[in-house]
Amino acid sequence: MPELLLELFSEEIPARMQAKAADDLRRLVTDKLVAEGLVYEGAKAFATPRRLALTVHGIPARQPDLKTERRGPKVGAPDAAVQGFLKATDLKSLDEAKIQRDPKGDFYIGLIEKPGRDAIDVLAEILPVIIRTFPWPKSMRWGARSGKPGSLSWVRPLHAITATFGLETEEPDVVKFEVDGIETGQTTYGHRFMAPDAISVRRFEDYEAKLKAAKVILDPQARKDIIFADAKELTFAQGFELVEDQVLLDEVSGLVEWPVVMMGSFEAEYLAIPDEVIRATIRNNQKCFVVKDTKTGKLTNKFVLTANIEATDGGKVIVSGNERVIRPRLSDAKFFYETDLKTKLEDRLPKFEQIVFHEKLGTQAARIKRIESLAAEIAPLVGADVAKAMRAAHLAKADLLTEVVGEFPEVQGLMGKYYALAQGEDGSVAAACEEHYKPQGPADRVPTDPVSVAVALADKIDTLVGFWAIDEKPTGSKDPYALRRAALGVIRLIAENGLRLSLTKVAASALAGLLVKPADATRLPSDLLAFFADRLKVQLREQGARHDLVDAVFALGGQDDLLMIVRRVEALGKFLESDDGKNLLAGTKRASNILSIEEKKDKRSFDGAPDAALYGLAEEKALAKAIGEVQAEASAAVAKEDFAAAMSAMAKLRPPVDAFFDKVRVNDDDAKVRENRLKLLNEIRSATRAVADFSKIQD
């Protein structure tokens, strides 16, 4: 079947836009093909700095013919209605229409036949529209072309469009159209410097091979693989190790069409700067990778760069040029670092009095005081030294006012640790200066040092309570203050450190420290707790916990203790994987279903203890006895937070529940016996609620 080859050749496309642009091109073209009845077999898009390319194979050569029936007026309808029907269906007379019988009468039916068009004609119609309306995040217009002002809005000036369509065994045809004076053809261009001449291409296989011969690697992943492999090999050959950086690798692969990896160096004196600052300097300014010594784990005075050309001098001039740029950047970083060391962290704090954190929440200085107070309260709950937690909270934000963090915001916190250590602070205090921001995402490390945990919780809870108090909650997809991330951070700190603390009490303490109070301050802790509950549900589901088990545990309330909820969900999941768990769930659901039906029928609930005197069968007595024993045992286990033991206790209900449903008719003819048996079923439901609301669990 025929194949489409499309290339949009332009000036350099920003690296950050290339992957999405390639995906958008594939999606837009294939969606339109399907909408036109041209169902394809496969499609793949590519991007380099100077081109977007797409290949779609297995496209039918022609659209299918369409036949549709159109219902017309009733037989005997006025002539105006009949004429309108004939015109709409392109029929010459009613003799060409069918008559369909209907309970409401006989109606004319017209058969409309729409012959399919050649696929190449459809492509010539849809492709220019897609190009003109392409969803670039930023685009530009440029000067006149052929004496006419340009009308195309594109990310960068578009120079050529290659569009061919045809079978593999035949010479493909050009899909003829023009955009802003650019006519389609079969001509593309190779590498800007090493092979700039025009190249005539036919189909994708031919196109990709000729581009490679012209020093262009079309596939972004292939460019990444080359850069990564060559960089690893180059550093290994010199006894070093590449510091891997996937984000930088993605960016660099979008800057070159023919990657050539080289190594440069800088003066060893700059190694006195913290490794992270060296890396940020070289990464941000020159898009280069840093290199570490495998023996020490510290950075060396080497860096790896990726050029876009095979230089005749082996790259000496390119390496030298990068070194000349990096050297003054490192010199500036060294100056900033050494300047910062001359001022102690606490001496910077008075400046926070003039820096507003939020107009409704006061200054940064006021926020730091709140975090100190909250950290002091949380510290004993997490096993941290109160004095150290307060000291860490006092200093944790100070590095925001340093020169290095001003230049490289991504190292905030980390520099606070370095400066704290340099001025002789306790190791836990210094670590907390860095770690109180963590975790910043689902893949980020969770602090384990108690001082770091106390300050991290205080920082995040103060943020959440503050913005809740001024009614700046997340709405839909909008979360400008990253409150969802803060809540998830609190959850991970609690769960992964096995912490027990009342979020309600801590939130109330945080609220007390605010100058601004919400209109209904009593509701804030519970509202915020509901937000934590929602975030915890998301977290547990992402970890693989069944959503119905999460709902079954949350239905019991007690959402103040997140750790207990996590453990209860884990224990419930394991229990329901066993035969006892599955069968007890079935029995409990059966009891709940019967109760629901009978409660609806009687328009009342069957609460209250059953009357033992009305037990007429041994199975009733055995179930009642088992419920009493199990309820006491499970409740005691839950009180000790031994949820596995609570589930084991619940398992003892399985035999008497099975026997009850096997031998006992619940809806007895005697109304009192029936009511008593329904109350006994309600006891089953109540007993299982010691561990979860089984009615929320799916079969």
Side-chain angles (χ1 to χ4, degrees), residues 472-517:
E472 290 281 1
K473 307 169 188 176
T475 55
S477 61
K478 296 181 180 179
D479 187 10
Y481 302 109
L483 301 183
R484 292 188 180 97
R485 186 176 70 185
L488 181 58
V490 170
I491 290 168
R492 292 189 63 201
L493 283 162
I494 290 173
E496 295 182 33
N497 284 292
L499 301 178
R500 304 299 304 278
L501 71 156
S502 169
L503 282 174
T504 302
K505 291 180 181 178
V506 176
S509 297
L511 179 60
L514 290 173
L515 294 176
V516 177
K517 298 294 190 296

mmCIF file of all heavy atoms in Angstrom, residues 472-517:
data_model
loop_
_atom_site.group_PDB
_atom_site.id
_atom_site.type_symbol
_atom_site.label_atom_id
_atom_site.label_comp_id
_atom_site.label_asym_id
_atom_site.label_seq_id
_atom_site.Cartn_x
_atom_site.Cartn_y
_atom_site.Cartn_z
ATOM 1 N N GLU A 472 -6.886 30.150 48.847
ATOM 2 C CA GLU A 472 -6.140 29.996 47.589
ATOM 3 C C GLU A 472 -5.879 28.512 47.352
ATOM 4 O O GLU A 472 -4.747 28.070 47.240
ATOM 5 C CB GLU A 472 -4.817 30.771 47.648
ATOM 6 C CG GLU A 472 -4.960 32.272 47.618
ATOM 7 C CD GLU A 472 -5.219 32.809 46.224
ATOM 8 O OE1 GLU A 472 -5.306 32.006 45.290
ATOM 9 O OE2 GLU A 472 -5.355 34.038 46.089
ATOM 10 N N LYS A 473 -6.965 27.754 47.266
ATOM 11 C CA LYS A 473 -6.854 26.306 47.107
ATOM 12 C C LYS A 473 -6.700 25.951 45.625
ATOM 13 O O LYS A 473 -7.094 26.724 44.756
ATOM 14 C CB LYS A 473 -8.109 25.623 47.665
ATOM 15 C CG LYS A 473 -8.441 26.012 49.096
ATOM 16 C CD LYS A 473 -9.826 25.508 49.476
ATOM 17 C CE LYS A 473 -10.258 26.059 50.829
ATOM 18 N NZ LYS A 473 -11.650 25.658 51.166
ATOM 19 N N PRO A 474 -6.154 24.770 45.342
ATOM 20 C CA PRO A 474 -6.077 24.334 43.941
ATOM 21 C C PRO A 474 -7.479 24.179 43.360
ATOM 22 O O PRO A 474 -8.403 23.740 44.047
ATOM 23 C CB PRO A 474 -5.374 22.970 44.028
ATOM 24 C CG PRO A 474 -4.696 22.964 45.350
ATOM 25 C CD PRO A 474 -5.532 23.800 46.263
ATOM 26 N N THR A 475 -7.623 24.561 42.112
ATOM 27 C CA THR A 475 -8.904 24.410 41.427
ATOM 28 C C THR A 475 -8.661 23.754 40.080
ATOM 29 O O THR A 475 -7.907 24.277 39.262
ATOM 30 C CB THR A 475 -9.584 25.773 41.211
ATOM 31 O OG1 THR A 475 -8.681 26.637 40.508
ATOM 32 C CG2 THR A 475 -9.960 26.419 42.531
ATOM 33 N N GLY A 476 -9.283 22.618 39.856
ATOM 34 C CA GLY A 476 -9.106 21.918 38.585
ATOM 35 C C GLY A 476 -7.645 21.600 38.351
ATOM 36 O O GLY A 476 -6.970 21.018 39.190
ATOM 37 N N SER A 477 -7.141 22.005 37.196
ATOM 38 C CA SER A 477 -5.734 21.756 36.867
ATOM 39 C C SER A 477 -4.819 22.862 37.374
ATOM 40 O O SER A 477 -3.598 22.764 37.250
ATOM 41 C CB SER A 477 -5.573 21.622 35.348
ATOM 42 O OG SER A 477 -5.966 22.836 34.706
ATOM 43 N N LYS A 478 -5.384 23.914 37.934
ATOM 44 C CA LYS A 478 -4.585 25.048 38.399
ATOM 45 C C LYS A 478 -4.116 24.835 39.834
ATOM 46 O O LYS A 478 -4.919 24.561 40.725
ATOM 47 C CB LYS A 478 -5.392 26.343 38.293
ATOM 48 C CG LYS A 478 -5.766 26.720 36.861
ATOM 49 C CD LYS A 478 -6.549 28.022 36.814
ATOM 50 C CE LYS A 478 -6.915 28.396 35.380
ATOM 51 N NZ LYS A 478 -7.691 29.650 35.319
ATOM 52 N N ASP A 479 -2.826 24.974 40.019
ATOM 53 C CA ASP A 479 -2.236 24.830 41.351
ATOM 54 C C ASP A 479 -0.969 25.688 41.408
ATOM 55 O O ASP A 479 0.146 25.185 41.465
ATOM 56 C CB ASP A 479 -1.909 23.358 41.626
ATOM 57 C CG ASP A 479 -1.450 23.106 43.057
ATOM 58 O OD1 ASP A 479 -1.568 24.027 43.885
ATOM 59 O OD2 ASP A 479 -0.956 22.001 43.337
ATOM 60 N N PRO A 480 -1.138 27.031 41.354
ATOM 61 C CA PRO A 480 0.030 27.916 41.217
ATOM 62 C C PRO A 480 1.012 27.854 42.372
ATOM 63 O O PRO A 480 2.192 28.192 42.201
ATOM 64 C CB PRO A 480 -0.608 29.306 41.101
ATOM 65 C CG PRO A 480 -1.953 29.176 41.743
ATOM 66 C CD PRO A 480 -2.399 27.782 41.432
ATOM 67 N N TYR A 481 0.555 27.448 43.532
ATOM 68 C CA TYR A 481 1.446 27.398 44.692
ATOM 69 C C TYR A 481 1.913 25.979 45.007
ATOM 70 O O TYR A 481 2.454 25.724 46.083
ATOM 71 C CB TYR A 481 0.742 28.006 45.912
ATOM 72 C CG TYR A 481 0.310 29.432 45.684
ATOM 73 C CD1 TYR A 481 -1.041 29.756 45.543
ATOM 74 C CD2 TYR A 481 1.241 30.453 45.559
ATOM 75 C CE1 TYR A 481 -1.450 31.062 45.306
ATOM 76 C CE2 TYR A 481 0.847 31.767 45.323
ATOM 77 C CZ TYR A 481 -0.492 32.067 45.197
ATOM 78 O OH TYR A 481 -0.888 33.355 44.955
ATOM 79 N N ALA A 482 1.698 25.059 44.081
ATOM 80 C CA ALA A 482 2.153 23.663 44.209
ATOM 81 C C ALA A 482 1.674 23.038 45.515
ATOM 82 O O ALA A 482 2.417 22.337 46.198
ATOM 83 C CB ALA A 482 3.675 23.593 44.105
ATOM 84 N N LEU A 483 0.409 23.255 45.854
ATOM 85 C CA LEU A 483 -0.127 22.730 47.109
ATOM 86 C C LEU A 483 -0.354 21.222 47.045
ATOM 87 O O LEU A 483 -0.235 20.532 48.057
ATOM 88 C CB LEU A 483 -1.431 23.455 47.455
ATOM 89 C CG LEU A 483 -1.307 24.978 47.620
ATOM 90 C CD1 LEU A 483 -2.633 25.583 48.033
ATOM 91 C CD2 LEU A 483 -0.226 25.323 48.638
ATOM 92 N N ARG A 484 -0.667 20.708 45.869
ATOM 93 C CA ARG A 484 -0.805 19.256 45.747
ATOM 94 C C ARG A 484 0.542 18.580 45.997
ATOM 95 O O ARG A 484 0.620 17.545 46.658
ATOM 96 C CB ARG A 484 -1.335 18.883 44.359
ATOM 97 C CG ARG A 484 -2.781 19.318 44.109
ATOM 98 C CD ARG A 484 -3.309 18.747 42.797
ATOM 99 N NE ARG A 484 -4.682 19.150 42.530
ATOM 100 C CZ ARG A 484 -5.032 20.158 41.756
ATOM 101 N NH1 ARG A 484 -4.094 20.879 41.163
ATOM 102 N NH2 ARG A 484 -6.298 20.466 41.570
ATOM 103 N N ARG A 485 1.602 19.176 45.465
ATOM 104 C CA ARG A 485 2.930 18.617 45.682
ATOM 105 C C ARG A 485 3.318 18.687 47.161
ATOM 106 O O ARG A 485 3.917 17.757 47.697
ATOM 107 C CB ARG A 485 3.963 19.364 44.830
ATOM 108 C CG ARG A 485 5.350 18.765 44.882
ATOM 109 C CD ARG A 485 6.302 19.482 43.942
ATOM 110 N NE ARG A 485 6.607 20.821 44.412
ATOM 111 C CZ ARG A 485 7.327 21.698 43.730
ATOM 112 N NH1 ARG A 485 7.781 21.388 42.524
ATOM 113 N NH2 ARG A 485 7.579 22.886 44.219
ATOM 114 N N ALA A 486 2.945 19.790 47.819
ATOM 115 C CA ALA A 486 3.248 19.924 49.249
ATOM 116 C C ALA A 486 2.508 18.860 50.058
ATOM 117 O O ALA A 486 3.084 18.244 50.972
ATOM 118 C CB ALA A 486 2.872 21.317 49.742
ATOM 119 N N ALA A 487 1.239 18.629 49.732
ATOM 120 C CA ALA A 487 0.464 17.616 50.461
ATOM 121 C C ALA A 487 1.035 16.222 50.229
ATOM 122 O O ALA A 487 1.137 15.419 51.162
ATOM 123 C CB ALA A 487 -1.002 17.665 50.028
ATOM 124 N N LEU A 488 1.414 15.939 48.997
ATOM 125 C CA LEU A 488 2.023 14.646 48.700
ATOM 126 C C LEU A 488 3.345 14.495 49.447
ATOM 127 O O LEU A 488 3.680 13.407 49.927
ATOM 128 C CB LEU A 488 2.252 14.506 47.195
ATOM 129 C CG LEU A 488 2.860 13.183 46.721
ATOM 130 C CD1 LEU A 488 1.984 12.006 47.132
ATOM 131 C CD2 LEU A 488 3.056 13.188 45.213
ATOM 132 N N GLY A 489 4.097 15.599 49.583
ATOM 133 C CA GLY A 489 5.340 15.563 50.340
ATOM 134 C C GLY A 489 5.094 15.213 51.796
ATOM 135 O O GLY A 489 5.822 14.411 52.392
ATOM 136 N N VAL A 490 4.056 15.806 52.391
ATOM 137 C CA VAL A 490 3.702 15.491 53.786
ATOM 138 C C VAL A 490 3.344 14.017 53.916
ATOM 139 O O VAL A 490 3.789 13.324 54.842
ATOM 140 C CB VAL A 490 2.525 16.378 54.254
ATOM 141 C CG1 VAL A 490 1.998 15.902 55.604
ATOM 142 C CG2 VAL A 490 2.959 17.834 54.339
ATOM 143 N N ILE A 491 2.555 13.521 52.975
ATOM 144 C CA ILE A 491 2.134 12.116 53.014
ATOM 145 C C ILE A 491 3.340 11.183 52.944
ATOM 146 O O ILE A 491 3.457 10.230 53.714
ATOM 147 C CB ILE A 491 1.148 11.830 51.868
ATOM 148 C CG1 ILE A 491 -0.185 12.532 52.132
ATOM 149 C CG2 ILE A 491 0.933 10.327 51.696
ATOM 150 C CD1 ILE A 491 -1.113 12.558 50.937
ATOM 151 N N ARG A 492 4.258 11.460 52.028
ATOM 152 C CA ARG A 492 5.433 10.588 51.884
ATOM 153 C C ARG A 492 6.351 10.675 53.100
ATOM 154 O O ARG A 492 6.921 9.666 53.534
ATOM 155 C CB ARG A 492 6.192 10.945 50.608
ATOM 156 C CG ARG A 492 5.446 10.603 49.330
ATOM 157 C CD ARG A 492 6.336 10.783 48.110
ATOM 158 N NE ARG A 492 7.467 9.866 48.150
ATOM 159 C CZ ARG A 492 8.598 10.035 47.477
ATOM 160 N NH1 ARG A 492 8.762 11.116 46.721
ATOM 161 N NH2 ARG A 492 9.571 9.161 47.550
ATOM 162 N N LEU A 493 6.501 11.867 53.653
ATOM 163 C CA LEU A 493 7.320 12.017 54.867
ATOM 164 C C LEU A 493 6.754 11.179 56.005
ATOM 165 O O LEU A 493 7.493 10.521 56.747
ATOM 166 C CB LEU A 493 7.380 13.491 55.278
ATOM 167 C CG LEU A 493 8.314 14.383 54.461
ATOM 168 C CD1 LEU A 493 7.958 15.856 54.661
ATOM 169 C CD2 LEU A 493 9.767 14.138 54.845
ATOM 170 N N ILE A 494 5.439 11.192 56.135
ATOM 171 C CA ILE A 494 4.784 10.434 57.208
ATOM 172 C C ILE A 494 4.847 8.941 56.943
ATOM 173 O O ILE A 494 5.266 8.153 57.797
ATOM 174 C CB ILE A 494 3.323 10.907 57.370
ATOM 175 C CG1 ILE A 494 3.292 12.324 57.957
ATOM 176 C CG2 ILE A 494 2.543 9.949 58.254
ATOM 177 C CD1 ILE A 494 1.911 12.942 57.988
ATOM 178 N N ALA A 495 4.443 8.542 55.741
ATOM 179 C CA ALA A 495 4.331 7.111 55.440
ATOM 180 C C ALA A 495 5.694 6.424 55.392
ATOM 181 O O ALA A 495 5.872 5.336 55.961
ATOM 182 C CB ALA A 495 3.594 6.921 54.124
ATOM 183 N N GLU A 496 6.662 7.039 54.707
ATOM 184 C CA GLU A 496 7.945 6.374 54.508
ATOM 185 C C GLU A 496 8.851 6.439 55.729
ATOM 186 O O GLU A 496 9.836 5.711 55.806
ATOM 187 C CB GLU A 496 8.628 6.952 53.268
ATOM 188 C CG GLU A 496 7.851 6.654 51.993
ATOM 189 C CD GLU A 496 8.518 7.169 50.734
ATOM 190 O OE1 GLU A 496 9.769 7.194 50.694
ATOM 191 O OE2 GLU A 496 7.787 7.537 49.786
ATOM 192 N N ASN A 497 8.510 7.310 56.681
ATOM 193 C CA ASN A 497 9.256 7.345 57.940
ATOM 194 C C ASN A 497 8.481 6.686 59.082
ATOM 195 O O ASN A 497 8.951 6.665 60.216
ATOM 196 C CB ASN A 497 9.605 8.787 58.326
ATOM 197 C CG ASN A 497 10.745 9.353 57.509
ATOM 198 O OD1 ASN A 497 11.879 8.922 57.640
ATOM 199 N ND2 ASN A 497 10.447 10.313 56.639
ATOM 200 N N GLY A 498 7.293 6.168 58.768
ATOM 201 C CA GLY A 498 6.495 5.485 59.781
ATOM 202 C C GLY A 498 6.116 6.388 60.937
ATOM 203 O O GLY A 498 6.214 6.001 62.104
ATOM 204 N N LEU A 499 5.652 7.598 60.634
ATOM 205 C CA LEU A 499 5.387 8.595 61.674
ATOM 206 C C LEU A 499 3.934 8.583 62.119
ATOM 207 O O LEU A 499 3.027 8.373 61.319
ATOM 208 C CB LEU A 499 5.734 9.997 61.154
ATOM 209 C CG LEU A 499 7.178 10.215 60.692
ATOM 210 C CD1 LEU A 499 7.343 11.631 60.163
ATOM 211 C CD2 LEU A 499 8.148 9.943 61.835
ATOM 212 N N ARG A 500 3.736 8.842 63.386
ATOM 213 C CA ARG A 500 2.403 8.965 63.950
ATOM 214 C C ARG A 500 2.226 10.391 64.462
ATOM 215 O O ARG A 500 2.895 10.796 65.416
ATOM 216 C CB ARG A 500 2.214 7.983 65.110
ATOM 217 C CG ARG A 500 2.466 6.538 64.758
ATOM 218 C CD ARG A 500 1.502 6.083 63.667
ATOM 219 N NE ARG A 500 0.129 6.287 64.024
ATOM 220 C CZ ARG A 500 -0.572 5.453 64.798
ATOM 221 N NH1 ARG A 500 -0.016 4.366 65.280
ATOM 222 N NH2 ARG A 500 -1.843 5.694 65.071
ATOM 223 N N LEU A 501 1.400 11.155 63.826
ATOM 224 C CA LEU A 501 1.075 12.482 64.333
ATOM 225 C C LEU A 501 -0.293 12.886 63.844
ATOM 226 O O LEU A 501 -0.749 12.426 62.788
ATOM 227 C CB LEU A 501 2.114 13.519 63.915
ATOM 228 C CG LEU A 501 2.199 13.958 62.457
ATOM 229 C CD1 LEU A 501 2.839 15.335 62.378
ATOM 230 C CD2 LEU A 501 3.030 12.992 61.639
ATOM 231 N N SER A 502 -0.941 13.713 64.641
ATOM 232 C CA SER A 502 -2.283 14.173 64.307
ATOM 233 C C SER A 502 -2.184 15.387 63.400
ATOM 234 O O SER A 502 -1.762 16.465 63.823
ATOM 235 C CB SER A 502 -3.056 14.534 65.582
ATOM 236 O OG SER A 502 -4.254 15.211 65.250
ATOM 237 N N LEU A 503 -2.575 15.216 62.155
ATOM 238 C CA LEU A 503 -2.542 16.333 61.225
ATOM 239 C C LEU A 503 -3.504 17.438 61.655
ATOM 240 O O LEU A 503 -3.245 18.621 61.426
ATOM 241 C CB LEU A 503 -2.902 15.856 59.815
ATOM 242 C CG LEU A 503 -1.792 15.130 59.047
ATOM 243 C CD1 LEU A 503 -2.332 14.601 57.736
ATOM 244 C CD2 LEU A 503 -0.614 16.055 58.788
ATOM 245 N N THR A 504 -4.606 17.059 62.286
ATOM 246 C CA THR A 504 -5.567 18.061 62.748
ATOM 247 C C THR A 504 -4.934 18.989 63.771
ATOM 248 O O THR A 504 -5.069 20.217 63.698
ATOM 249 C CB THR A 504 -6.800 17.374 63.357
ATOM 250 O OG1 THR A 504 -7.388 16.516 62.380
ATOM 251 C CG2 THR A 504 -7.823 18.401 63.804
ATOM 252 N N LYS A 505 -4.213 18.416 64.732
ATOM 253 C CA LYS A 505 -3.581 19.231 65.780
ATOM 254 C C LYS A 505 -2.472 20.097 65.204
ATOM 255 O O LYS A 505 -2.340 21.278 65.548
ATOM 256 C CB LYS A 505 -3.030 18.324 66.880
ATOM 257 C CG LYS A 505 -4.097 17.618 67.700
ATOM 258 C CD LYS A 505 -3.467 16.733 68.772
ATOM 259 C CE LYS A 505 -4.537 16.010 69.586
ATOM 260 N NZ LYS A 505 -3.925 15.107 70.611
ATOM 261 N N VAL A 506 -1.657 19.521 64.325
ATOM 262 C CA VAL A 506 -0.554 20.290 63.737
ATOM 263 C C VAL A 506 -1.107 21.422 62.873
ATOM 264 O O VAL A 506 -0.594 22.556 62.916
ATOM 265 C CB VAL A 506 0.369 19.371 62.908
ATOM 266 C CG1 VAL A 506 1.447 20.193 62.220
ATOM 267 C CG2 VAL A 506 1.014 18.311 63.797
ATOM 268 N N ALA A 507 -2.151 21.137 62.101
ATOM 269 C CA ALA A 507 -2.759 22.179 61.269
ATOM 270 C C ALA A 507 -3.354 23.282 62.128
ATOM 271 O O ALA A 507 -3.260 24.475 61.792
ATOM 272 C CB ALA A 507 -3.824 21.577 60.364
ATOM 273 N N ALA A 508 -3.963 22.905 63.255
ATOM 274 C CA ALA A 508 -4.530 23.907 64.158
ATOM 275 C C ALA A 508 -3.434 24.807 64.729
ATOM 276 O O ALA A 508 -3.617 26.023 64.866
ATOM 277 C CB ALA A 508 -5.292 23.220 65.278
ATOM 278 N N SER A 509 -2.282 24.209 65.057
ATOM 279 C CA SER A 509 -1.153 25.000 65.564
ATOM 280 C C SER A 509 -0.636 25.952 64.492
ATOM 281 O O SER A 509 -0.306 27.108 64.773
ATOM 282 C CB SER A 509 -0.029 24.073 66.027
ATOM 283 O OG SER A 509 -0.445 23.260 67.105
ATOM 284 N N ALA A 510 -0.553 25.452 63.258
ATOM 285 C CA ALA A 510 -0.105 26.308 62.163
ATOM 286 C C ALA A 510 -1.079 27.458 61.942
ATOM 287 O O ALA A 510 -0.673 28.598 61.686
ATOM 288 C CB ALA A 510 0.045 25.486 60.887
ATOM 289 N N LEU A 511 -2.356 27.188 62.060
ATOM 290 C CA LEU A 511 -3.375 28.224 61.892
ATOM 291 C C LEU A 511 -3.263 29.284 62.978
ATOM 292 O O LEU A 511 -3.413 30.482 62.720
ATOM 293 C CB LEU A 511 -4.764 27.584 61.904
ATOM 294 C CG LEU A 511 -5.962 28.523 61.771
ATOM 295 C CD1 LEU A 511 -5.899 29.284 60.452
ATOM 296 C CD2 LEU A 511 -7.262 27.734 61.857
ATOM 297 N N ALA A 512 -2.966 28.841 64.198
ATOM 298 C CA ALA A 512 -2.842 29.781 65.312
ATOM 299 C C ALA A 512 -1.708 30.770 65.099
ATOM 300 O O ALA A 512 -1.746 31.899 65.605
ATOM 301 C CB ALA A 512 -2.630 29.012 66.620
ATOM 302 N N GLY A 513 -0.694 30.374 64.338
ATOM 303 C CA GLY A 513 0.442 31.250 64.099
ATOM 304 C C GLY A 513 0.228 32.262 62.991
ATOM 305 O O GLY A 513 1.068 33.149 62.783
ATOM 306 N N LEU A 514 -0.871 32.166 62.276
ATOM 307 C CA LEU A 514 -1.144 33.097 61.179
ATOM 308 C C LEU A 514 -1.756 34.389 61.697
ATOM 309 O O LEU A 514 -2.580 34.379 62.621
ATOM 310 C CB LEU A 514 -2.112 32.469 60.175
ATOM 311 C CG LEU A 514 -1.590 31.314 59.310
ATOM 312 C CD1 LEU A 514 -2.741 30.728 58.508
ATOM 313 C CD2 LEU A 514 -0.493 31.792 58.376
ATOM 314 N N LEU A 515 -1.381 35.495 61.097
ATOM 315 C CA LEU A 515 -1.997 36.772 61.438
ATOM 316 C C LEU A 515 -3.388 36.870 60.829
ATOM 317 O O LEU A 515 -4.295 37.463 61.403
ATOM 318 C CB LEU A 515 -1.115 37.920 60.932
ATOM 319 C CG LEU A 515 0.254 38.057 61.601
ATOM 320 C CD1 LEU A 515 1.056 39.170 60.933
ATOM 321 C CD2 LEU A 515 0.106 38.337 63.089
ATOM 322 N N VAL A 516 -3.543 36.267 59.641
ATOM 323 C CA VAL A 516 -4.834 36.276 58.949
ATOM 324 C C VAL A 516 -5.579 35.004 59.303
ATOM 325 O O VAL A 516 -5.045 33.903 59.185
ATOM 326 C CB VAL A 516 -4.642 36.352 57.417
ATOM 327 C CG1 VAL A 516 -5.991 36.292 56.713
ATOM 328 C CG2 VAL A 516 -3.911 37.624 57.053
ATOM 329 N N LYS A 517 -6.809 35.128 59.733
ATOM 330 C CA LYS A 517 -7.618 33.967 60.076
ATOM 331 C C LYS A 517 -8.788 33.873 59.099
ATOM 332 O O LYS A 517 -9.375 34.888 58.717
ATOM 333 C CB LYS A 517 -8.161 34.082 61.510
ATOM 334 C CG LYS A 517 -7.090 34.146 62.588
ATOM 335 C CD LYS A 517 -6.314 32.851 62.688
ATOM 336 C CE LYS A 517 -5.407 32.816 63.912
ATOM 337 N NZ LYS A 517 -4.345 33.831 63.877
#
